[in-house]
Amino acid sequence: LSLLNLERGCSNLKGIILSGSPYSVTEPNAPTLDPIILELNIPVLGLCYGMQLLSHFHGGNVFASSHKEYGTASLKVLKRDSLFAKLPKNFQVWMSHGDKLHDVPAGFEVLAHSENSAIAAMKHISKPLYALQFHPEVSHTEYGSHILNNFAVLCGMTQQWSMGNFIETQIQKIRQQVKEGGDVLCGLSGGVDSTVCAFLLSKAIGKRVKCVMVDTGLLRAGEVEEVQHALSSLDIHVVDAKDKFYQALSGITDPEQKRKIIGRLFFEVFEEKALSLPGASAEPTPAEAGVAISYLAQGTLYPDVIESVSDKGPSATIKSHHNVGGLPEKMNLKLIEPLRELFKDEVRRVGIELGLSSALVGRHPFPGPGLAIRILGEVTQEAVLILQKADKIYLEEIRKSGLYDEVRWSYGRLSNLR
């Protein structure tokens, strides 16, 4: 980021956020910043590593903590101006760091602290420089979006964007992408992501969307029937591919390998189905012109991408998602992913904006590879059946206790099932 680039292309720059990083500022090759950023006289917000970087540039002492924090922490706000305006004095935040500050750099003052971080938030006394040791951008931090909103206000910005804007933009983008003809095959699992994706596509291009649900034999008990009933307004085609998936997973125990096998097989099934479906567009493609299905849409989210393809530097692949890491190198279908830049909570908001019920957008997350990665060891029909029963009991019980909407994840991995 140079002064020349700022003058040429960033004249309307309102603020800068310095993100977190797996590095330590004390490492020789740690990412740094151009000092000119601190001379622009616009608000800068350092998050975690960004906070340590700001401290380092102002002569602060950053050191490796004897107790690394990873998880929730109780934040105590000392000054509720600027970043913490109109927020409680105490709330939960998400910490993930190994380094911390020994003392406040010259010119800064402490805004908040936690049990393990005496300097959990700080700001410069005379310059628009702010820093947080915790991560406001993750859903585990209470009032995280409020903090980021407060920073936007400090930058002199006003809200001009909404989920309604996102939906309209994506509708136009989808129509532009498929204007050359050919219908869209939408991978539908019944989960939040694929459901929102399917309804967004339907709103954009109507009956040109054909939803395909692949019964892998790895779904929750009764999942196919539930999805068909709940999403009856969509054109859904169910493909029974249980035998193919069981055969492909025979003898496989490594979760990452399972994900990639399932991902490849998913797309094989989709492409096979595309060959068998007649076109449903306003101007059907003649049989002699080739396949009427030209596109494959899926509910890929931003976390799917960053967890699957981070293969350089210290940010290693967390896990391959079947819709990213399992993609074949060559595909006959062109990919459409309208939710690719969103996080899960944002997708739920899109669903509500589209008019979907809270029951649909509030469904518990379920991995694309299904129960295969919740079984430690080889995937067998017997193991899947036991896990389906356990999962069904779990869901029934949390619904009875009124906890379904509070608990967004599932427990109960089964090990050594044969």
Coordinates of all heavy atoms in Angstrom, one line a residue, residues 249-340:
L249 N -16.4 -45.6 -0.6 CA -15.8 -45.3 0.7 C -15.3 -46.6 1.4 O -14.8 -46.5 2.5 CB -16.8 -44.6 1.6 CG -17.2 -43.2 1.2 CD1 -18.4 -42.7 2.0 CD2 -16.0 -42.3 1.4
S250 N -15.5 -47.7 0.8 CA -15.1 -49.0 1.4 C -13.6 -49.0 1.7 O -12.8 -48.7 0.9 CB -15.4 -50.1 0.4 OG -15.0 -51.4 0.9
G251 N -13.3 -49.3 3.0 CA -11.9 -49.4 3.4 C -11.3 -48.1 3.7 O -10.1 -48.0 4.1
I252 N -12.0 -46.9 3.5 CA -11.4 -45.6 3.7 C -11.7 -45.2 5.2 O -12.8 -45.2 5.6 CB -12.0 -44.6 2.8 CG1 -11.8 -45.0 1.3 CG2 -11.3 -43.2 3.0 CD1 -10.4 -45.2 0.9
T253 N -10.6 -44.7 5.9 CA -10.7 -44.3 7.2 C -10.4 -42.9 7.5 O -10.8 -42.2 8.5 CB -9.9 -45.2 8.2 OG1 -8.5 -45.1 7.8 CG2 -10.3 -46.7 8.1
D254 N -9.5 -42.3 6.6 CA -9.1 -40.9 6.8 C -10.2 -39.9 6.4 O -10.7 -39.9 5.3 CB -7.8 -40.7 5.9 CG -7.3 -39.2 6.1 OD1 -6.9 -38.9 7.2 OD2 -7.4 -38.5 5.1
P255 N -10.5 -39.0 7.4 CA -11.6 -38.0 7.1 C -11.4 -37.1 5.9 O -12.3 -36.9 5.1 CB -11.7 -37.2 8.4 CG -11.1 -38.0 9.4 CD -10.0 -38.8 8.7
E256 N -10.2 -36.7 5.7 CA -9.9 -35.8 4.5 C -10.0 -36.6 3.2 O -10.6 -36.1 2.2 CB -8.4 -35.3 4.7 CG -8.0 -34.3 3.6 CD -8.7 -33.0 3.7 OE1 -9.5 -32.8 4.6 OE2 -8.5 -32.1 2.8
Q257 N -9.6 -37.8 3.2 CA -9.8 -38.7 2.0 C -11.3 -38.9 1.7 O -11.7 -38.9 0.6 CB -9.0 -40.0 2.2 CG -8.9 -40.7 0.9 CD -8.0 -42.0 1.0 OE1 -7.4 -42.2 2.1 NE2 -7.9 -42.8 0.0
K258 N -12.0 -39.1 2.8 CA -13.5 -39.3 2.7 C -14.1 -38.1 2.0 O -14.9 -38.2 1.1 CB -14.1 -39.6 4.0 CG -13.8 -40.9 4.7 CD -14.5 -40.9 6.1 CE -14.1 -42.2 6.9 NZ -14.7 -42.2 8.2
R259 N -13.7 -36.9 2.5 CA -14.3 -35.7 1.9 C -14.0 -35.6 0.4 O -14.9 -35.2 -0.4 CB -13.7 -34.5 2.6 CG -14.2 -34.3 4.1 CD -13.7 -33.0 4.7 NE -14.1 -32.8 6.0 CZ -13.3 -33.1 7.1 NH1 -12.1 -33.6 6.9 NH2 -13.8 -33.0 8.3
K260 N -12.8 -35.8 0.0 CA -12.4 -35.7 -1.4 C -13.1 -36.7 -2.3 O -13.6 -36.4 -3.4 CB -10.9 -35.8 -1.5 CG -10.2 -34.5 -0.9 CD -8.7 -34.6 -1.1 CE -8.1 -33.3 -0.6 NZ -6.6 -33.2 -0.8
I261 N -13.2 -37.9 -1.8 CA -13.9 -39.0 -2.5 C -15.4 -38.6 -2.7 O -16.0 -38.7 -3.8 CB -13.8 -40.3 -1.8 CG1 -12.4 -40.9 -1.9 CG2 -14.8 -41.4 -2.4 CD1 -12.1 -42.1 -1.1
I262 N -16.0 -38.2 -1.6 CA -17.4 -37.8 -1.7 C -17.6 -36.6 -2.6 O -18.6 -36.5 -3.4 CB -18.0 -37.5 -0.3 CG1 -18.0 -38.8 0.6 CG2 -19.3 -36.8 -0.3 CD1 -18.3 -38.6 2.0
G263 N -16.7 -35.6 -2.6 CA -16.8 -34.5 -3.4 C -16.8 -34.8 -4.9 O -17.6 -34.4 -5.7
R264 N -15.8 -35.7 -5.3 CA -15.7 -36.1 -6.7 C -16.9 -36.9 -7.1 O -17.5 -36.6 -8.2 CB -14.4 -36.9 -6.9 CG -13.2 -36.1 -6.8 CD -12.0 -36.9 -7.3 NE -11.7 -38.1 -6.4 CZ -10.8 -38.0 -5.4 NH1 -10.2 -36.9 -5.1 NH2 -10.6 -39.1 -4.7
L265 N -17.4 -37.8 -6.3 CA -18.6 -38.6 -6.6 C -19.8 -37.7 -6.7 O -20.7 -38.0 -7.6 CB -18.8 -39.7 -5.6 CG -19.7 -40.8 -5.9 CD1 -19.4 -41.4 -7.3 CD2 -19.6 -41.9 -4.9
F266 N -20.0 -36.7 -5.9 CA -21.1 -35.8 -6.0 C -21.2 -35.2 -7.4 O -22.3 -35.2 -8.0 CB -20.9 -34.6 -5.0 CG -21.8 -34.7 -3.8 CD1 -21.3 -34.9 -2.5 CD2 -23.2 -34.6 -3.9 CE1 -22.1 -35.0 -1.4 CE2 -24.0 -34.7 -2.8 CZ -23.5 -34.9 -1.5
F267 N -20.1 -34.7 -7.9 CA -20.1 -34.1 -9.2 C -20.3 -35.0 -10.3 O -20.9 -34.7 -11.3 CB -18.8 -33.2 -9.4 CG -18.9 -31.9 -8.6 CD1 -18.3 -31.8 -7.4 CD2 -19.5 -30.8 -9.2 CE1 -18.4 -30.7 -6.6 CE2 -19.5 -29.6 -8.5 CZ -19.0 -29.5 -7.2
E268 N -19.8 -36.2 -10.2 CA -20.1 -37.3 -11.2 C -21.6 -37.5 -11.2 O -22.2 -37.6 -12.3 CB -19.4 -38.6 -10.8 CG -17.9 -38.5 -11.0 CD -17.2 -39.8 -10.6 OE1 -17.9 -40.8 -10.4 OE2 -15.9 -39.8 -10.5
V269 N -22.2 -37.6 -10.1 CA -23.7 -37.9 -10.0 C -24.4 -36.7 -10.6 O -25.4 -36.9 -11.4 CB -24.1 -38.1 -8.6 CG1 -25.7 -38.2 -8.5 CG2 -23.5 -39.4 -8.0
F270 N -24.0 -35.5 -10.3 CA -24.7 -34.3 -10.8 C -24.6 -34.3 -12.4 O -25.6 -34.0 -13.1 CB -24.1 -33.0 -10.3 CG -24.5 -32.7 -8.9 CD1 -23.6 -32.3 -7.9 CD2 -25.8 -33.0 -8.4 CE1 -23.9 -32.0 -6.6 CE2 -26.1 -32.7 -7.1 CZ -25.2 -32.2 -6.2
E271 N -23.4 -34.6 -12.9 CA -23.2 -34.5 -14.3 C -24.0 -35.6 -15.0 O -24.6 -35.4 -16.1 CB -21.7 -34.6 -14.7 CG -21.0 -33.3 -14.3 CD -19.6 -33.3 -14.9 OE1 -19.0 -34.3 -15.1 OE2 -19.1 -32.2 -15.2
E272 N -24.1 -36.8 -14.4 CA -24.9 -37.8 -15.0 C -26.4 -37.4 -15.0 O -27.1 -37.7 -16.0 CB -24.8 -39.1 -14.1 CG -23.4 -39.8 -14.3 CD -23.3 -41.0 -13.4 OE1 -24.3 -41.4 -12.7 OE2 -22.2 -41.6 -13.3
K273 N -26.8 -36.8 -13.9 CA -28.2 -36.3 -13.9 C -28.5 -35.3 -14.9 O -29.6 -35.2 -15.5 CB -28.5 -35.8 -12.5 CG -30.0 -35.6 -12.2 CD -30.8 -36.8 -12.3 CE -32.3 -36.6 -12.1 NZ -33.1 -37.8 -12.3
A274 N -27.5 -34.4 -15.1 CA -27.7 -33.3 -16.1 C -28.0 -33.9 -17.5 O -28.7 -33.3 -18.3 CB -26.5 -32.4 -16.1
L275 N -27.4 -35.0 -17.8 CA -27.6 -35.7 -19.1 C -29.0 -36.2 -19.3 O -29.5 -36.4 -20.4 CB -26.5 -36.8 -19.3 CG -25.1 -36.3 -19.5 CD1 -24.2 -37.5 -19.4 CD2 -24.9 -35.6 -20.8
S276 N -29.6 -36.6 -18.2 CA -30.9 -37.2 -18.2 C -32.1 -36.3 -18.1 O -33.2 -36.7 -18.4 CB -31.0 -38.3 -17.1 OG -31.0 -37.7 -15.8
L277 N -31.8 -35.0 -17.6 CA -33.0 -34.1 -17.4 C -33.3 -33.3 -18.7 O -32.3 -32.8 -19.3 CB -32.6 -33.1 -16.3 CG -32.6 -33.7 -14.9 CD1 -32.2 -32.7 -13.9 CD2 -34.0 -34.2 -14.5
P278 N -34.5 -33.2 -19.1 CA -34.9 -32.3 -20.2 C -34.8 -30.9 -19.8 O -34.9 -30.5 -18.6 CB -36.3 -32.7 -20.5 CG -36.9 -33.2 -19.2 CD -35.7 -33.9 -18.5
G279 N -34.6 -30.0 -20.8 CA -34.6 -28.6 -20.5 C -35.9 -28.0 -20.0 O -37.0 -28.6 -20.4
A280 N -35.9 -27.0 -19.2 CA -37.1 -26.5 -18.7 C -37.2 -25.0 -18.9 O -38.0 -24.3 -18.3 CB -37.3 -26.8 -17.2
S281 N -36.3 -24.4 -19.7 CA -36.2 -23.0 -20.0 C -37.3 -22.6 -20.9 O -38.0 -23.4 -21.6 CB -34.9 -22.6 -20.5 OG -34.6 -23.3 -21.7
A282 N -37.5 -21.3 -21.1 CA -38.5 -20.7 -21.9 C -38.2 -21.1 -23.4 O -39.2 -21.4 -24.2 CB -38.5 -19.2 -21.8
E283 N -37.0 -21.2 -23.8 CA -36.6 -21.7 -25.1 C -35.8 -22.9 -25.0 O -34.6 -22.9 -24.9 CB -35.8 -20.6 -25.8 CG -36.6 -19.3 -26.0 CD -35.8 -18.2 -26.7 OE1 -34.6 -18.6 -27.1 OE2 -36.3 -17.1 -26.8
P284 N -36.4 -24.1 -24.8 CA -35.7 -25.4 -24.6 C -34.7 -25.6 -25.7 O -34.8 -25.3 -26.8 CB -36.9 -26.4 -24.7 CG -38.1 -25.6 -24.4 CD -37.9 -24.3 -25.0
T285 N -33.5 -26.1 -25.2 CA -32.5 -26.5 -26.1 C -32.8 -27.7 -26.9 O -33.2 -28.8 -26.3 CB -31.2 -26.7 -25.3 OG1 -30.9 -25.6 -24.5 CG2 -30.0 -27.0 -26.2
P286 N -32.8 -27.7 -28.2 CA -33.1 -28.9 -29.0 C -32.1 -30.0 -28.6 O -31.0 -29.8 -28.2 CB -32.8 -28.4 -30.4 CG -32.9 -26.9 -30.4 CD -32.4 -26.6 -29.0
A287 N -32.6 -31.2 -28.7 CA -31.8 -32.4 -28.3 C -30.5 -32.5 -29.1 O -29.5 -32.9 -28.6 CB -32.7 -33.7 -28.6
E288 N -30.6 -32.1 -30.4 CA -29.4 -32.2 -31.2 C -28.3 -31.2 -30.8 O -27.2 -31.3 -31.2 CB -29.7 -32.1 -32.7 CG -30.3 -30.8 -33.1 CD -31.8 -30.7 -33.0 OE1 -32.4 -31.6 -32.3 OE2 -32.5 -29.9 -33.7
A289 N -28.8 -30.1 -30.1 CA -27.8 -29.1 -29.7 C -27.0 -29.5 -28.5 O -26.0 -28.8 -28.1 CB -28.6 -27.8 -29.4
G290 N -27.3 -30.5 -27.8 CA -26.6 -31.0 -26.7 C -27.4 -30.9 -25.4 O -28.6 -30.8 -25.4
V291 N -26.7 -31.0 -24.3 CA -27.3 -31.0 -23.0 C -28.0 -29.7 -22.6 O -27.4 -28.6 -22.8 CB -26.3 -31.4 -21.9 CG1 -27.0 -31.5 -20.5 CG2 -25.6 -32.7 -22.2
A292 N -29.2 -29.7 -22.1 CA -30.0 -28.5 -21.8 C -29.4 -27.9 -20.5 O -29.6 -26.7 -20.2 CB -31.4 -28.8 -21.6
I293 N -28.8 -28.8 -19.6 CA -28.3 -28.3 -18.3 C -26.9 -27.8 -18.5 O -26.0 -28.6 -18.9 CB -28.3 -29.4 -17.2 CG1 -29.7 -29.9 -17.1 CG2 -27.8 -28.9 -15.9 CD1 -30.7 -29.0 -16.5
S294 N -26.6 -26.6 -18.3 CA -25.3 -26.0 -18.6 C -24.5 -25.6 -17.3 O -23.3 -25.4 -17.3 CB -25.3 -24.8 -19.5 OG -26.0 -25.2 -20.7
Y295 N -25.3 -25.4 -16.2 CA -24.7 -24.9 -15.0 C -25.0 -25.7 -13.8 O -26.0 -26.4 -13.7 CB -25.2 -23.5 -14.7 CG -25.0 -22.5 -15.9 CD1 -26.0 -22.4 -16.9 CD2 -23.9 -21.7 -16.0 CE1 -25.8 -21.6 -18.0 CE2 -23.7 -20.9 -17.1 CZ -24.7 -20.8 -18.1 OH -24.5 -19.9 -19.1
L296 N -24.0 -25.7 -12.8 CA -24.2 -26.3 -11.5 C -24.1 -25.3 -10.5 O -23.1 -24.5 -10.4 CB -23.1 -27.4 -11.3 CG -23.1 -28.0 -9.9 CD1 -24.5 -28.7 -9.6 CD2 -22.0 -29.0 -9.7
A297 N -25.2 -25.1 -9.7 CA -25.2 -24.1 -8.6 C -25.0 -24.9 -7.2 O -25.6 -25.9 -7.1 CB -26.4 -23.3 -8.6
Q298 N -24.3 -24.3 -6.3 CA -24.2 -24.9 -5.0 C -24.0 -23.8 -3.9 O -23.7 -22.6 -4.2 CB -23.0 -25.8 -4.9 CG -21.7 -25.2 -5.4 CD -20.6 -26.3 -5.3 OE1 -20.8 -27.5 -5.2 NE2 -19.4 -25.8 -5.4
G299 N -24.4 -24.1 -2.7 CA -24.4 -23.2 -1.6 C -23.0 -23.0 -0.9 O -23.0 -23.0 0.3
T300 N -22.0 -22.9 -1.7 CA -20.6 -22.6 -1.1 C -20.6 -21.3 -0.3 O -21.0 -20.3 -0.8 CB -19.6 -22.6 -2.2 OG1 -19.7 -23.8 -3.0 CG2 -18.2 -22.5 -1.6
L301 N -20.0 -21.4 0.9 CA -19.8 -20.2 1.7 C -18.4 -19.8 1.7 O -17.5 -20.6 1.4 CB -20.4 -20.4 3.1 CG -21.8 -20.9 3.3 CD1 -22.2 -20.8 4.7 CD2 -22.7 -20.1 2.4
Y302 N -18.1 -18.6 2.2 CA -16.7 -18.1 2.3 C -15.9 -19.0 3.3 O -14.7 -19.3 2.9 CB -16.7 -16.7 2.8 CG -15.3 -16.1 2.7 CD1 -14.6 -16.1 1.5 CD2 -14.7 -15.5 3.8 CE1 -13.3 -15.5 1.4 CE2 -13.5 -14.9 3.8 CZ -12.8 -14.9 2.6 OH -11.5 -14.4 2.5
P303 N -16.4 -19.5 4.4 CA -15.6 -20.4 5.3 C -15.2 -21.7 4.5 O -14.1 -22.2 4.8 CB -16.5 -20.6 6.5 CG -17.4 -19.5 6.5 CD -17.6 -19.1 5.1
D304 N -16.1 -22.2 3.6 CA -15.8 -23.4 2.9 C -14.5 -23.1 2.1 O -13.7 -24.0 1.9 CB -16.9 -23.7 1.9 CG -18.2 -24.0 2.6 OD1 -18.2 -24.2 3.8 OD2 -19.3 -24.0 2.0
V305 N -14.4 -21.9 1.5 CA -13.3 -21.6 0.6 C -12.0 -21.5 1.4 O -11.0 -22.1 1.1 CB -13.6 -20.3 -0.2 CG1 -12.4 -20.0 -1.0 CG2 -14.8 -20.5 -1.0
I306 N -12.0 -20.7 2.5 CA -10.8 -20.4 3.2 C -10.3 -21.6 4.0 O -9.1 -21.8 4.2 CB -10.9 -19.2 4.2 CG1 -12.1 -19.4 5.2 CG2 -11.2 -17.9 3.4 CD1 -12.2 -18.3 6.2
E307 N -11.2 -22.5 4.4 CA -10.8 -23.7 5.1 C -10.2 -24.8 4.1 O -9.4 -25.6 4.5 CB -11.9 -24.3 5.8 CG -12.4 -23.5 7.1 CD -13.5 -24.1 7.8 OE1 -14.0 -25.2 7.4 OE2 -13.9 -23.6 8.8
S308 N -10.6 -24.7 2.8 CA -10.2 -25.7 1.9 C -8.9 -25.4 1.1 O -8.2 -26.3 0.7 CB -11.3 -25.9 0.9 OG -12.5 -26.4 1.5
V309 N -8.7 -24.1 0.8 CA -7.7 -23.8 -0.2 C -6.5 -23.0 0.4 O -5.7 -22.5 -0.3 CB -8.3 -23.0 -1.3 CG1 -9.3 -23.8 -2.0 CG2 -8.8 -21.6 -0.9
S310 N -6.4 -22.9 1.7 CA -5.3 -22.2 2.4 C -4.1 -23.1 2.4 O -3.9 -23.9 3.3 CB -5.6 -21.7 3.8 OG -6.7 -20.8 3.8
D311 N -3.3 -23.1 1.3 CA -2.2 -24.1 1.2 C -0.8 -23.5 1.2 O 0.1 -24.1 0.8 CB -2.4 -25.0 0.0 CG -2.5 -24.1 -1.3 OD1 -2.5 -22.9 -1.2 OD2 -2.6 -24.7 -2.4
K312 N -0.8 -22.2 1.5 CA 0.5 -21.5 1.5 C 0.8 -20.8 2.8 O -0.1 -20.4 3.4 CB 0.6 -20.5 0.3 CG 0.4 -21.1 -1.1 CD 0.5 -20.0 -2.1 CE 0.4 -20.6 -3.5 NZ 0.5 -19.6 -4.6
G313 N 2.1 -20.8 3.1 CA 2.5 -20.1 4.4 C 2.0 -20.8 5.6 O 1.7 -22.0 5.6
P314 N 1.8 -20.1 6.7 CA 1.4 -20.7 8.0 C -0.1 -21.1 8.1 O -0.5 -21.7 9.0 CB 1.8 -19.6 9.0 CG 1.6 -18.4 8.3 CD 2.1 -18.7 6.8
S315 N -0.9 -20.5 7.1 CA -2.3 -20.8 7.1 C -2.6 -22.1 6.3 O -2.8 -22.0 5.1 CB -3.1 -19.6 6.5 OG -4.4 -19.9 6.6
A316 N -2.5 -23.2 7.0 CA -2.7 -24.5 6.3 C -4.1 -24.8 6.1 O -5.0 -24.3 6.7 CB -2.0 -25.6 7.1
T317 N -4.4 -25.8 5.2 CA -5.7 -26.3 5.0 C -6.3 -26.8 6.3 O -5.7 -27.7 6.9 CB -5.7 -27.4 3.9 OG1 -5.3 -26.8 2.7 CG2 -7.1 -27.9 3.7
I318 N -7.5 -26.4 6.6 CA -8.1 -26.9 7.8 C -8.8 -28.2 7.5 O -8.7 -29.2 8.2 CB -9.2 -25.8 8.4 CG1 -8.4 -24.6 8.8 CG2 -9.9 -26.4 9.5 CD1 -9.3 -23.4 9.1
K319 N -9.6 -28.2 6.5 CA -10.3 -29.4 5.9 C -10.8 -29.0 4.6 O -11.2 -27.9 4.3 CB -11.4 -29.8 6.9 CG -12.6 -28.8 7.0 CD -13.7 -29.3 7.9 CE -14.8 -28.3 8.0 NZ -15.9 -28.8 8.9
S320 N -10.9 -30.0 3.7 CA -11.4 -29.9 2.4 C -12.9 -30.0 2.4 O -13.4 -31.0 3.0 CB -10.9 -30.9 1.4 OG -9.5 -30.7 1.2
H321 N -13.6 -29.0 1.9 CA -15.1 -29.1 1.8 C -15.4 -29.8 0.5 O -14.8 -29.6 -0.5 CB -15.7 -27.8 1.9 CG -15.7 -27.2 3.2 ND1 -16.8 -27.1 4.1 CD2 -14.7 -26.6 3.9 CE1 -16.4 -26.6 5.2 NE2 -15.1 -26.2 5.2
H322 N -16.4 -30.7 0.5 CA -16.8 -31.4 -0.7 C -17.1 -30.6 -1.9 O -16.9 -31.0 -3.0 CB -18.0 -32.4 -0.4 CG -19.3 -31.7 -0.4 ND1 -19.6 -30.8 0.7 CD2 -20.3 -31.7 -1.2 CE1 -20.8 -30.3 0.4 NE2 -21.3 -30.8 -0.7
N323 N -17.5 -29.3 -1.6 CA -17.9 -28.4 -2.7 C -16.8 -27.5 -3.1 O -16.9 -26.6 -4.0 CB -19.1 -27.6 -2.4 CG -19.0 -26.9 -1.1 OD1 -18.1 -27.1 -0.3 ND2 -19.9 -26.0 -0.8
V324 N -15.6 -27.7 -2.5 CA -14.4 -26.9 -2.9 C -13.2 -27.8 -3.1 O -12.8 -28.0 -4.2 CB -14.1 -25.8 -1.8 CG1 -12.9 -25.0 -2.3 CG2 -15.2 -24.9 -1.5
G325 N -12.7 -28.4 -2.0 CA -11.6 -29.3 -2.1 C -11.9 -30.6 -2.9 O -11.0 -31.2 -3.4
G326 N -13.2 -30.9 -3.1 CA -13.5 -32.2 -3.8 C -13.9 -31.9 -5.2 O -14.3 -32.8 -5.9
L327 N -13.7 -30.7 -5.7 CA -14.0 -30.4 -7.1 C -13.1 -31.1 -8.1 O -11.9 -31.1 -7.9 CB -13.9 -28.9 -7.3 CG -15.0 -28.0 -6.8 CD1 -14.6 -26.5 -6.9 CD2 -16.3 -28.2 -7.5
P328 N -13.7 -31.7 -9.1 CA -12.8 -32.3 -10.1 C -12.1 -31.2 -10.9 O -12.6 -30.1 -11.0 CB -13.8 -33.1 -11.0 CG -15.1 -32.4 -10.8 CD -15.1 -31.9 -9.4
E329 N -10.9 -31.6 -11.5 CA -10.2 -30.6 -12.3 C -10.9 -30.1 -13.5 O -10.9 -29.0 -13.9 CB -8.8 -31.2 -12.7 CG -7.9 -31.4 -11.5 CD -6.5 -31.9 -11.9 OE1 -6.3 -31.9 -13.1 OE2 -5.7 -32.2 -11.0
K330 N -11.6 -31.1 -14.2 CA -12.4 -30.8 -15.3 C -13.9 -31.0 -15.1 O -14.2 -32.1 -14.7 CB -11.9 -31.6 -16.5 CG -10.5 -31.2 -17.0 CD -10.1 -32.0 -18.2 CE -8.7 -31.6 -18.7 NZ -8.3 -32.3 -19.9
M331 N -14.7 -30.0 -15.4 CA -16.1 -30.2 -15.2 C -16.9 -29.8 -16.5 O -16.5 -28.8 -17.1 CB -16.6 -29.3 -14.0 CG -16.2 -29.8 -12.7 SD -16.6 -28.6 -11.4 CE -18.3 -28.1 -11.8
N332 N -17.9 -30.5 -16.8 CA -18.7 -30.1 -18.0 C -19.7 -29.0 -17.7 O -20.2 -28.4 -18.6 CB -19.5 -31.4 -18.5 CG -18.5 -32.4 -19.0 OD1 -17.5 -32.1 -19.6 ND2 -18.8 -33.7 -18.8
L333 N -20.0 -28.8 -16.4 CA -20.9 -27.8 -16.0 C -20.2 -26.6 -15.4 O -19.2 -26.7 -14.7 CB -21.9 -28.4 -14.9 CG -22.7 -29.6 -15.2 CD1 -23.4 -30.2 -14.0 CD2 -23.7 -29.3 -16.3
K334 N -20.7 -25.4 -15.8 CA -20.2 -24.2 -15.3 C -20.7 -23.9 -13.9 O -21.9 -24.1 -13.6 CB -20.5 -23.0 -16.2 CG -20.0 -23.2 -17.6 CD -20.6 -22.1 -18.5 CE -20.2 -22.4 -20.0 NZ -20.7 -21.4 -20.9
L335 N -19.9 -23.4 -13.0 CA -20.2 -23.3 -11.6 C -20.9 -21.9 -11.3 O -20.4 -20.9 -11.8 CB -19.0 -23.4 -10.7 CG -19.1 -24.1 -9.3 CD1 -19.8 -25.4 -9.4 CD2 -17.7 -24.2 -8.7
I336 N -21.9 -22.0 -10.4 CA -22.6 -20.8 -9.9 C -22.6 -20.9 -8.4 O -23.2 -21.8 -7.9 CB -24.0 -20.6 -10.5 CG1 -24.0 -20.5 -12.0 CG2 -24.7 -19.4 -9.9 CD1 -25.4 -20.4 -12.6
E337 N -22.1 -19.9 -7.8 CA -22.0 -19.9 -6.3 C -22.3 -18.5 -5.7 O -21.5 -17.7 -5.4 CB -20.6 -20.3 -5.8 CG -20.2 -21.7 -6.2 CD -18.8 -22.1 -5.9 OE1 -17.9 -21.3 -6.1 OE2 -18.6 -23.2 -5.4
P338 N -23.6 -18.2 -5.7 CA -24.0 -16.8 -5.3 C -23.7 -16.4 -3.8 O -23.8 -15.3 -3.5 CB -25.5 -16.8 -5.6 CG -25.9 -18.2 -5.5 CD -24.8 -19.0 -6.0
L339 N -23.5 -17.5 -3.0 CA -23.3 -17.2 -1.5 C -21.8 -17.3 -1.1 O -21.5 -17.3 0.0 CB -24.1 -18.2 -0.7 CG -25.6 -18.3 -1.0 CD1 -26.2 -19.4 -0.1 CD2 -26.3 -17.0 -0.9
R340 N -20.9 -17.4 -2.1 CA -19.5 -17.7 -1.9 C -18.8 -16.7 -1.0 O -17.8 -17.0 -0.4 CB -18.8 -17.8 -3.2 CG -17.4 -18.3 -3.2 CD -16.8 -18.4 -4.5 NE -15.4 -18.9 -4.5 CZ -15.0 -20.1 -4.6 NH1 -15.9 -21.1 -4.7 NH2 -13.7 -20.5 -4.5

